[in-house]
Amino acid sequence: MSVQDISQAKDPLLRASFVALQRAARMAREEAIRTNTDLVIVQDGKVVHIPPEELRRAQLEEVGR
C-alpha cells in the first residue's frame, strides 16, 4: 500500500499510522544521537548499523534546507 493509498483509507487509525511511524522513526534517530549509539535498521533484508555521527550529519543537513 502506498502513502497515498493510506491517506485515502476509511479507517482513521490507518490514516494516522503513517504519521505515527514517521514520528517513531524520528524519535529513534534522536535517541540514538542522545545516547551515542548506532541506529539499527533492516534495509533490503540486511541489518544495517548507522553510527550516531552519520545521524548528526543528516540532522544538520535537514536543518540547513
Side-chain angles (χ1 to χ4, degrees), residues 6-9 11-23:
I6 291 173
S7 70
Q8 302 301 315
D11 184 344
L13 291 176
L14 184 57
R15 285 194 309 264
S17 67
F18 184 71
V19 175
L21 287 170
Q22 287 179 315
R23 184 174 52 245

Side-chain angles (χ1 to χ4, degrees), residues 36-59:
N36 202 40
T37 56
D38 288 0
L39 180 66
V40 180
I41 62 170
V42 176
Q43 190 173 40
D44 298 326
K46 297 180 181 179
V47 176
V48 178
H49 292 255
I50 304 172
E53 297 80 21
E54 188 174 328
L55 296 170
R56 286 185 191 98
R57 277 194 302 272
Q59 190 178 50

Side-chain angles (χ1 to χ4, degrees), residues 24-39:
R26 186 190 76 243
M27 292 171 64
R29 288 189 303 271
E30 290 171 356
E31 184 71 6
I33 290 169
R34 188 180 71 74
T35 59
N36 202 40
T37 56
D38 288 0
L39 180 66

